[in-house]
Protein backbone atom coordinates (compact mmCIF):
# COMPACT_ATOMS: atom_id res chain seq x y z
CA UNK A 1 0.00 0.00 0.00
CA UNK A 2 1.40 3.43 -0.88
CA UNK A 3 1.08 6.44 1.32
CA UNK A 4 -0.66 9.38 -0.35
CA UNK A 5 1.42 12.48 -0.93
CA UNK A 6 0.41 15.76 0.63
CA UNK A 7 -0.41 18.39 -1.95
CA UNK A 8 1.72 20.98 -0.13
CA UNK A 9 4.60 18.65 0.69
CA UNK A 10 7.76 18.68 -1.40
CA UNK A 11 8.00 15.96 -4.04
CA UNK A 12 8.75 12.55 -2.52
CA UNK A 13 7.71 13.47 1.04
CA UNK A 14 4.76 11.51 2.40
CA UNK A 15 1.70 13.16 3.92
CA UNK A 16 2.31 11.37 7.24
CA UNK A 17 5.84 12.77 7.69
CA UNK A 18 5.16 16.26 6.30
CA UNK A 19 4.49 19.16 8.57
CA UNK A 20 4.15 22.75 7.31
CA UNK A 21 6.79 23.99 9.75
CA UNK A 22 9.34 21.87 7.81
CA UNK A 23 8.44 23.59 4.54
CA UNK A 24 10.87 26.17 3.23
CA UNK A 25 9.44 29.54 4.27
CA UNK A 26 10.79 31.29 1.16
CA UNK A 27 10.06 29.36 -2.00
CA UNK A 28 11.48 32.27 -3.95
CA UNK A 29 14.78 31.85 -2.08
CA UNK A 30 14.94 28.16 -3.02
CA UNK A 31 14.21 29.04 -6.64
CA UNK A 32 16.88 31.72 -6.60
CA UNK A 33 19.53 29.35 -5.20
CA UNK A 34 18.69 26.65 -7.76
CA UNK A 35 18.84 29.14 -10.62
CA UNK A 36 21.85 31.24 -9.59
CA UNK A 37 23.82 28.77 -7.43
CA UNK A 38 26.36 27.73 -10.12
CA UNK A 39 27.13 31.34 -11.05
CA UNK A 40 27.54 32.33 -7.40
CA UNK A 41 29.78 29.31 -6.79
CA UNK A 42 32.09 30.50 -9.59
CA UNK A 43 32.27 33.87 -7.84
CA UNK A 44 33.10 32.16 -4.54
CA UNK A 45 35.79 30.08 -6.26
CA UNK A 46 37.39 33.26 -7.55
CA UNK A 47 37.68 34.51 -3.96
CA UNK A 48 39.40 31.43 -2.54
CA UNK A 49 41.82 28.86 -3.92
CA UNK A 50 40.25 25.78 -2.36
CA UNK A 51 36.98 24.50 -3.94
CA UNK A 52 35.75 23.21 -0.57
CA UNK A 53 36.37 26.60 1.02
CA UNK A 54 34.47 28.20 -1.87
CA UNK A 55 31.45 26.00 -1.18
CA UNK A 56 31.59 26.87 2.53
CA UNK A 57 31.93 30.55 1.67
CA UNK A 58 28.89 30.43 -0.61
CA UNK A 59 26.91 28.52 2.02
CA UNK A 60 27.69 31.20 4.60
CA UNK A 61 26.77 34.02 2.22
CA UNK A 62 23.51 32.31 1.28
CA UNK A 63 22.71 31.81 4.96
CA UNK A 64 23.18 35.54 5.54
CA UNK A 65 20.99 36.24 2.52
CA UNK A 66 18.28 33.89 3.78
CA UNK A 67 18.22 35.58 7.18
CA UNK A 68 17.84 38.99 5.50
CA UNK A 69 15.39 37.80 2.82
CA UNK A 70 12.45 39.80 4.23
CA UNK A 71 14.53 42.99 4.41
CA UNK A 72 15.78 42.84 0.81
CA UNK A 73 13.52 45.23 -1.07
CA UNK A 74 14.68 44.71 -4.65
CA UNK A 75 14.94 41.03 -5.45
CA UNK A 76 16.25 41.91 -8.91
CA UNK A 77 19.52 42.94 -7.23
CA UNK A 78 20.00 39.68 -5.33
CA UNK A 79 23.18 38.74 -7.20
CA UNK A 80 24.81 41.96 -6.04
CA UNK A 81 23.64 41.37 -2.48
CA UNK A 82 25.01 37.81 -2.41
CA UNK A 83 28.29 38.88 -4.05
CA UNK A 84 28.72 41.59 -1.42
CA UNK A 85 28.01 38.97 1.29
CA UNK A 86 30.64 36.69 -0.32
CA UNK A 87 33.28 39.41 -0.35
CA UNK A 88 32.48 40.61 3.18
CA UNK A 89 32.51 37.06 4.56
CA UNK A 90 35.82 36.27 2.86
CA UNK A 91 37.33 39.52 4.14
CA UNK A 92 36.20 38.69 7.68
CA UNK A 93 37.73 35.22 7.39
CA UNK A 94 41.17 36.39 6.40
CA UNK A 95 41.14 39.20 8.95
CA UNK A 96 40.36 36.72 11.72
CA UNK A 97 42.91 34.19 10.52
CA UNK A 98 45.97 34.01 12.73
CA UNK A 99 49.17 32.78 11.15
CA UNK A 100 51.23 30.87 13.68
CA UNK A 101 53.64 29.14 11.34
CA UNK A 102 55.75 30.23 8.43
CA UNK A 103 57.29 27.96 5.81
CA UNK A 104 61.06 28.24 5.58
CA UNK A 105 64.06 26.34 4.24
CA UNK A 106 65.64 25.59 7.61
CA UNK A 107 63.95 24.75 10.86
CA UNK A 108 64.47 27.56 13.38
CA UNK A 109 64.38 25.19 16.32
CA UNK A 110 67.64 23.73 17.55
CA UNK A 111 68.08 20.00 17.33
CA UNK A 112 66.42 18.25 20.23
CA UNK A 113 68.64 17.85 23.23
CA UNK A 114 69.11 14.29 24.39
CA UNK A 115 67.06 13.34 27.41
CA UNK A 116 69.07 13.55 30.61
CA UNK A 117 70.22 10.29 32.09
CA UNK A 118 68.05 9.48 35.14
CA UNK A 119 71.07 8.07 36.96
CA UNK A 120 73.01 11.32 36.47
CA UNK A 121 70.02 13.34 37.63
CA UNK A 122 69.81 11.23 40.78
CA UNK A 123 73.55 11.65 41.47
CA UNK A 124 73.20 15.42 41.08
CA UNK A 125 70.11 15.49 43.33
CA UNK A 126 71.92 13.52 46.05
CA UNK A 127 75.02 15.74 45.81
CA UNK A 128 72.87 18.86 46.09
CA UNK A 129 71.01 17.52 49.11
CA UNK A 130 74.28 16.54 50.84
CA UNK A 131 75.59 20.08 50.23
CA UNK A 132 72.40 21.61 51.65
CA UNK A 133 72.69 19.36 54.71
CA UNK A 134 76.20 20.82 55.38
CA UNK A 135 74.70 24.32 55.82
CA UNK A 136 74.00 25.64 59.33
CA UNK A 137 70.45 24.90 60.52
CA UNK A 138 69.11 28.42 60.04
CA UNK A 139 70.54 28.82 56.53
CA UNK A 140 69.40 25.33 55.59
CA UNK A 141 65.85 26.12 56.76
CA UNK A 142 65.78 29.31 54.71
CA UNK A 143 67.15 27.59 51.57
CA UNK A 144 64.65 24.75 51.90
CA UNK A 145 61.72 27.13 52.40
CA UNK A 146 62.79 29.45 49.55
CA UNK A 147 63.84 26.93 46.90
CA UNK A 148 62.33 23.56 47.80
CA UNK A 149 59.02 24.84 49.18
CA UNK A 150 59.00 27.83 46.76
CA UNK A 151 58.01 30.39 49.40
CA UNK A 152 58.68 34.09 48.86
CA UNK A 153 61.15 35.99 51.01
CA UNK A 154 58.26 37.55 52.95
CA UNK A 155 56.62 34.15 53.55
CA UNK A 156 59.94 32.62 54.65
CA UNK A 157 60.49 35.51 57.07
CA UNK A 158 56.99 35.03 58.53
CA UNK A 159 57.45 31.26 58.96
CA UNK A 160 60.82 31.68 60.71
CA UNK A 161 59.86 34.82 62.64
CA UNK A 162 62.71 36.93 61.25
CA UNK A 163 62.96 40.02 59.05
CA UNK A 164 62.98 39.90 55.27
CA UNK A 165 66.50 41.38 55.29
CA UNK A 166 67.69 38.50 57.46
CA UNK A 167 66.26 36.00 54.98
CA UNK A 168 67.93 37.78 52.06
CA UNK A 169 71.36 37.92 53.66
CA UNK A 170 71.24 34.37 55.07
CA UNK A 171 70.11 32.88 51.74
CA UNK A 172 72.81 34.84 49.92
CA UNK A 173 75.53 33.45 52.26
CA UNK A 174 74.06 29.93 51.91
CA UNK A 175 74.12 30.11 48.11
CA UNK A 176 77.72 31.32 48.26
CA UNK A 177 78.66 28.26 50.34
CA UNK A 178 76.81 25.95 47.91
CA UNK A 179 78.67 27.47 44.94
CA UNK A 180 81.97 26.62 46.61
CA UNK A 181 81.06 23.03 47.56
CA UNK A 182 83.48 20.68 45.73
CA UNK A 183 80.74 18.07 45.11
CA UNK A 184 78.74 20.62 43.08
CA UNK A 185 81.59 21.76 40.83
CA UNK A 186 80.14 19.93 37.74
CA UNK A 187 76.88 21.85 38.16
CA UNK A 188 78.52 25.18 37.36
Amino acid sequence: MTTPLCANAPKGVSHASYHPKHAPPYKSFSSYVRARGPVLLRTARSLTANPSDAEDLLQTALTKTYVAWDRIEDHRALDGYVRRALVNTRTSQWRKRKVDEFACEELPEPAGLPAPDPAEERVLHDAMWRAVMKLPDRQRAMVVLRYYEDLSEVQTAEVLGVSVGTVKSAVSRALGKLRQDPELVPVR
Side-chain angles (χ1 to χ4, degrees):
M1 179 175 163
T2 59
T3 308
L5 293 176
C6 177
N8 296 334
K11 186 176 180 182
V13 178
S14 71
H15 176 70
S17 65
Y18 179 75
H19 190 276
K21 76 174 188 175
H22 294 88
Y26 304 118
K27 289 183 181 182
S28 57
F29 177 79
S30 299
S31 301
Y32 172 75
V33 172
R34 273 193 299 279
R36 301 299 293 163
V39 173
L40 296 171
L41 184 58
R42 280 194 299 271
T43 304
R45 284 189 178 150
S46 70
L47 294 172
T48 182
N50 185 336
S52 297
D53 290 344
E55 292 173 1
D56 291 343
L57 180 63
L58 178 59
Q59 185 71 32
T60 303
L62 288 174
T63 301
K64 291 177 180 181
T65 304
Y66 182 81
V67 169
W69 194 255
D70 285 336
R71 295 188 312 263
I72 300 173
E73 294 177 7
D74 186 7
H75 281 227
R76 293 174 297 182
L78 282 172
D79 281 356
Y81 184 93
V82 175
R83 283 190 186 105
R84 175 51 50 198
L86 284 167
V87 171
N88 290 347
T89 302
R90 182 65 184 140
T91 302
S92 295
Q93 288 173 345
W94 65 258
R95 279 184 180 155
K96 290 178 186 176
R97 190 183 79 189
K98 181 180 174 187
V99 177
D100 290 330
E101 297 179 15
F102 299 96
C104 59
E105 294 290 326
E106 294 180 26
L107 292 176
E109 299 89 18
L113 300 174
D117 182 13
E120 289 179 15
E121 284 185 338
R122 188 66 200 174
V123 168
L124 179 61
H125 178 269
D126 291 343
M128 180 61 85
W129 192 246
R130 281 192 303 275
V132 168
M133 293 304 289
K134 291 179 193 174
L135 294 173
D137 292 341
R138 188 171 175 175
Q139 286 180 357
R140 182 174 56 240
M142 290 183 191
V143 167
V144 167
L145 289 173
R146 283 285 291 128
Y147 298 105
Y148 284 89
E149 297 295 324
D150 201 26
L151 296 182
S152 68
E153 292 169 340
V154 173
Q155 292 169 325
T156 302
E158 287 175 4
V159 168
L160 296 176
V162 296
S163 70
V164 175
T166 302
V167 171
K168 288 181 180 183
S169 62
V171 168
S172 176
R173 284 192 303 276
L175 293 177
K177 289 179 184 178
L178 291 174
R179 285 187 195 100
Q180 294 177 359
D181 191 300
E183 282 190 77
L184 299 179
V185 171
V187 174
R188 289 183 225 133

CSV table of all heavy atoms in Angstrom, one decimal, residues 98-128:
chain,number,residue,atom,x,y,z
A,98,LYS,N,44.7,33.7,12.0
A,98,LYS,CA,46.0,34.0,12.7
A,98,LYS,C,47.0,33.1,12.2
A,98,LYS,O,46.8,31.8,12.2
A,98,LYS,CB,45.8,33.8,14.2
A,98,LYS,CG,47.0,34.1,15.0
A,98,LYS,CD,46.7,33.8,16.5
A,98,LYS,CE,48.0,34.0,17.3
A,98,LYS,NZ,47.8,33.6,18.7
A,99,VAL,N,48.1,33.6,11.7
A,99,VAL,CA,49.2,32.8,11.2
A,99,VAL,C,50.2,32.5,12.3
A,99,VAL,O,50.8,33.4,12.8
A,99,VAL,CB,49.8,33.5,10.0
A,99,VAL,CG1,51.0,32.6,9.4
A,99,VAL,CG2,48.8,33.8,8.9
A,100,ASP,N,50.3,31.3,12.6
A,100,ASP,CA,51.2,30.9,13.7
A,100,ASP,C,52.5,30.3,13.1
A,100,ASP,O,53.5,30.3,13.8
A,100,ASP,CB,50.6,29.8,14.6
A,100,ASP,CG,49.5,30.4,15.5
A,100,ASP,OD1,49.6,31.6,15.8
A,100,ASP,OD2,48.6,29.6,15.8
A,101,GLU,N,52.5,29.8,11.9
A,101,GLU,CA,53.6,29.1,11.3
A,101,GLU,C,54.0,29.7,10.0
A,101,GLU,O,53.1,30.2,9.2
A,101,GLU,CB,53.3,27.6,11.2
A,101,GLU,CG,53.1,27.0,12.5
A,101,GLU,CD,52.7,25.5,12.3
A,101,GLU,OE1,53.0,24.9,11.2
A,101,GLU,OE2,52.2,24.9,13.2
A,102,PHE,N,55.3,29.7,9.7
A,102,PHE,CA,55.7,30.2,8.4
A,102,PHE,C,56.6,29.1,7.8
A,102,PHE,O,57.4,28.5,8.5
A,102,PHE,CB,56.6,31.5,8.6
A,102,PHE,CG,55.8,32.6,9.2
A,102,PHE,CD1,55.9,32.9,10.6
A,102,PHE,CD2,55.0,33.4,8.5
A,102,PHE,CE1,55.2,33.9,11.2
A,102,PHE,CE2,54.3,34.5,9.0
A,102,PHE,CZ,54.4,34.7,10.4
A,103,ALA,N,56.5,28.9,6.5
A,103,ALA,CA,57.3,28.0,5.8
A,103,ALA,C,58.7,28.6,5.6
A,103,ALA,O,58.8,29.7,5.3
A,103,ALA,CB,56.7,27.6,4.5
A,104,CYS,N,59.7,27.8,5.8
A,104,CYS,CA,61.1,28.2,5.6
A,104,CYS,C,62.0,27.1,5.2
A,104,CYS,O,61.6,25.9,5.4
A,104,CYS,CB,61.6,29.0,6.8
A,104,CYS,SG,61.6,28.0,8.3
A,105,GLU,N,63.1,27.4,4.7
A,105,GLU,CA,64.1,26.3,4.2
A,105,GLU,C,64.6,25.5,5.4
A,105,GLU,O,64.7,24.3,5.4
A,105,GLU,CB,65.2,27.0,3.5
A,105,GLU,CG,64.8,27.6,2.2
A,105,GLU,CD,64.4,26.6,1.1
A,105,GLU,OE1,65.0,25.5,1.1
A,105,GLU,OE2,63.5,26.9,0.3
A,106,GLU,N,65.0,26.3,6.5
A,106,GLU,CA,65.6,25.6,7.6
A,106,GLU,C,64.7,25.7,8.8
A,106,GLU,O,64.0,26.7,9.0
A,106,GLU,CB,67.0,26.3,8.0
A,106,GLU,CG,68.0,26.1,6.9
A,106,GLU,CD,69.3,26.7,7.3
A,106,GLU,OE1,69.6,26.9,8.5
A,106,GLU,OE2,70.1,27.1,6.4
A,107,LEU,N,64.7,24.7,9.6
A,107,LEU,CA,64.0,24.8,10.9
A,107,LEU,C,64.6,25.7,11.9
A,107,LEU,O,65.8,25.6,12.1
A,107,LEU,CB,63.9,23.4,11.5
A,107,LEU,CG,63.0,22.3,10.7
A,107,LEU,CD1,63.1,21.0,11.4
A,107,LEU,CD2,61.6,22.8,10.6
A,108,PRO,N,63.9,26.6,12.4
A,108,PRO,CA,64.5,27.6,13.4
A,108,PRO,C,64.8,26.9,14.7
A,108,PRO,O,65.6,27.5,15.5
A,108,PRO,CB,63.4,28.7,13.5
A,108,PRO,CG,62.1,28.0,13.2
A,108,PRO,CD,62.5,26.9,12.2
A,109,GLU,N,64.2,25.8,15.0
A,109,GLU,CA,64.4,25.2,16.3
A,109,GLU,C,65.7,24.4,16.3
A,109,GLU,O,66.1,23.8,15.4
A,109,GLU,CB,63.3,24.2,16.6
A,109,GLU,CG,61.9,24.8,16.7
A,109,GLU,CD,61.2,24.8,15.4
A,109,GLU,OE1,61.6,24.1,14.5
A,109,GLU,OE2,60.3,25.5,15.2
A,110,PRO,N,66.4,24.5,17.5
A,110,PRO,CA,67.6,23.7,17.5
A,110,PRO,C,67.3,22.2,17.6
A,110,PRO,O,66.2,21.9,18.0
A,110,PRO,CB,68.3,24.2,18.9
A,110,PRO,CG,67.1,24.7,19.7
A,110,PRO,CD,66.1,25.3,18.7
A,111,ALA,N,68.3,21.4,17.3
A,111,ALA,CA,68.1,20.0,17.3
A,111,ALA,C,67.7,19.6,18.8
A,111,ALA,O,68.2,20.2,19.7
A,111,ALA,CB,69.3,19.3,16.9
A,112,GLY,N,66.9,18.7,18.9
A,112,GLY,CA,66.4,18.3,20.2
A,112,GLY,C,67.6,17.8,21.1
A,112,GLY,O,68.5,17.1,20.6
A,113,LEU,N,67.6,18.3,22.3
A,113,LEU,CA,68.6,17.9,23.2
A,113,LEU,C,68.3,16.4,23.7
A,113,LEU,O,67.2,16.1,23.9
A,113,LEU,CB,68.7,18.8,24.4
A,113,LEU,CG,69.0,20.3,24.1
A,113,LEU,CD1,68.9,21.1,25.3
A,113,LEU,CD2,70.4,20.4,23.5
A,114,PRO,N,69.4,15.7,23.9
A,114,PRO,CA,69.1,14.3,24.4
A,114,PRO,C,68.5,14.3,25.8
A,114,PRO,O,68.8,15.2,26.6
A,114,PRO,CB,70.5,13.6,24.4
A,114,PRO,CG,71.5,14.7,24.4
A,114,PRO,CD,70.8,15.9,23.7
A,115,ALA,N,67.7,13.4,26.1
A,115,ALA,CA,67.1,13.3,27.4
A,115,ALA,C,68.1,13.1,28.5
A,115,ALA,O,69.1,12.3,28.2
A,115,ALA,CB,66.0,12.2,27.4
A,116,PRO,N,68.0,13.8,29.6
A,116,PRO,CA,69.1,13.5,30.6
A,116,PRO,C,69.0,12.1,31.2
A,116,PRO,O,67.9,11.5,31.2
A,116,PRO,CB,68.7,14.6,31.7
A,116,PRO,CG,67.3,15.0,31.4
A,116,PRO,CD,67.1,14.7,30.0
A,117,ASP,N,70.1,11.6,31.5
A,117,ASP,CA,70.2,10.3,32.1
A,117,ASP,C,69.6,10.3,33.5
A,117,ASP,O,70.1,11.1,34.3
A,117,ASP,CB,71.7,9.8,32.1
A,117,ASP,CG,71.9,8.4,32.6
A,117,ASP,OD1,70.9,7.7,32.7
A,117,ASP,OD2,73.0,8.1,32.9
A,118,PRO,N,68.6,9.5,33.8
A,118,PRO,CA,68.0,9.5,35.1
A,118,PRO,C,69.1,9.2,36.2
A,118,PRO,O,69.0,9.7,37.3
A,118,PRO,CB,67.0,8.4,35.1
A,118,PRO,CG,66.7,8.1,33.6
A,118,PRO,CD,68.0,8.5,32.9
A,119,ALA,N,70.1,8.4,36.0
A,119,ALA,CA,71.1,8.1,37.0
A,119,ALA,C,71.9,9.3,37.3
A,119,ALA,O,72.2,9.6,38.5
A,119,ALA,CB,72.0,6.9,36.5
A,120,GLU,N,72.3,10.1,36.2
A,120,GLU,CA,73.0,11.3,36.5
A,120,GLU,C,72.2,12.3,37.2
A,120,GLU,O,72.7,13.1,38.1
A,120,GLU,CB,73.5,11.9,35.1
A,120,GLU,CG,74.6,11.1,34.5
A,120,GLU,CD,75.0,11.7,33.1
A,120,GLU,OE1,74.6,12.9,32.9
A,120,GLU,OE2,75.6,11.0,32.4
A,121,GLU,N,70.9,12.4,36.9
A,121,GLU,CA,70.0,13.3,37.6
A,121,GLU,C,70.0,13.0,39.1
A,121,GLU,O,70.0,13.8,40.0
A,121,GLU,CB,68.6,13.3,37.0
A,121,GLU,CG,68.5,14.1,35.7
A,121,GLU,CD,67.1,14.1,35.3
A,121,GLU,OE1,66.2,13.3,35.6
A,121,GLU,OE2,66.7,15.0,34.5
A,122,ARG,N,69.9,11.7,39.4
A,122,ARG,CA,69.8,11.2,40.8
A,122,ARG,C,71.1,11.5,41.5
A,122,ARG,O,71.1,12.0,42.7
A,122,ARG,CB,69.5,9.7,40.8
A,122,ARG,CG,69.3,9.2,42.2
A,122,ARG,CD,68.0,9.8,42.7
A,122,ARG,NE,67.9,9.7,44.1
A,122,ARG,CZ,67.0,10.2,44.9
A,122,ARG,NH1,66.0,10.9,44.4
A,122,ARG,NH2,67.0,10.1,46.2
A,123,VAL,N,72.2,11.3,40.9
A,123,VAL,CA,73.5,11.7,41.5
A,123,VAL,C,73.6,13.1,41.8
A,123,VAL,O,74.1,13.5,42.9
A,123,VAL,CB,74.7,11.2,40.5
A,123,VAL,CG1,76.0,11.8,41.0
A,123,VAL,CG2,74.8,9.7,40.4
A,124,LEU,N,73.2,14.0,40.9
A,124,LEU,CA,73.2,15.4,41.1
A,124,LEU,C,72.3,15.8,42.2
A,124,LEU,O,72.6,16.6,43.1
A,124,LEU,CB,72.8,16.2,39.8
A,124,LEU,CG,72.7,17.7,39.9
A,124,LEU,CD1,74.1,18.2,40.2
A,124,LEU,CD2,72.2,18.2,38.6
A,125,HIS,N,71.1,15.2,42.3
A,125,HIS,CA,70.1,15.5,43.3
A,125,HIS,C,70.7,15.1,44.7
A,125,HIS,O,70.6,15.9,45.7
A,125,HIS,CB,68.8,14.7,43.1
A,125,HIS,CG,67.8,14.9,44.2
A,125,HIS,ND1,67.7,14.0,45.3
A,125,HIS,CD2,66.8,15.8,44.3
A,125,HIS,CE1,66.7,14.4,46.0
A,125,HIS,NE2,66.2,15.5,45.5
A,126,ASP,N,71.3,13.9,44.8
A,126,ASP,CA,71.9,13.5,46.1
A,126,ASP,C,73.1,14.4,46.5
A,126,ASP,O,73.2,14.8,47.7
A,126,ASP,CB,72.4,12.1,45.9
A,126,ASP,CG,71.3,11.1,45.8
A,126,ASP,OD1,70.1,11.4,46.2
A,126,ASP,OD2,71.5,9.9,45.4
A,127,ALA,N,73.9,14.8,45.5
A,127,ALA,CA,75.0,15.7,45.8
A,127,ALA,C,74.5,17.1,46.3
A,127,ALA,O,75.0,17.7,47.3
A,127,ALA,CB,75.9,15.9,44.6
A,128,MET,N,73.5,17.6,45.7
A,128,MET,CA,72.9,18.9,46.1
A,128,MET,C,72.3,18.8,47.5
A,128,MET,O,72.5,19.6,48.3
A,128,MET,CB,71.8,19.3,45.1
A,128,MET,CG,71.1,20.6,45.5
A,128,MET,SD,72.2,22.0,45.5
A,128,MET,CE,72.2,22.4,43.8
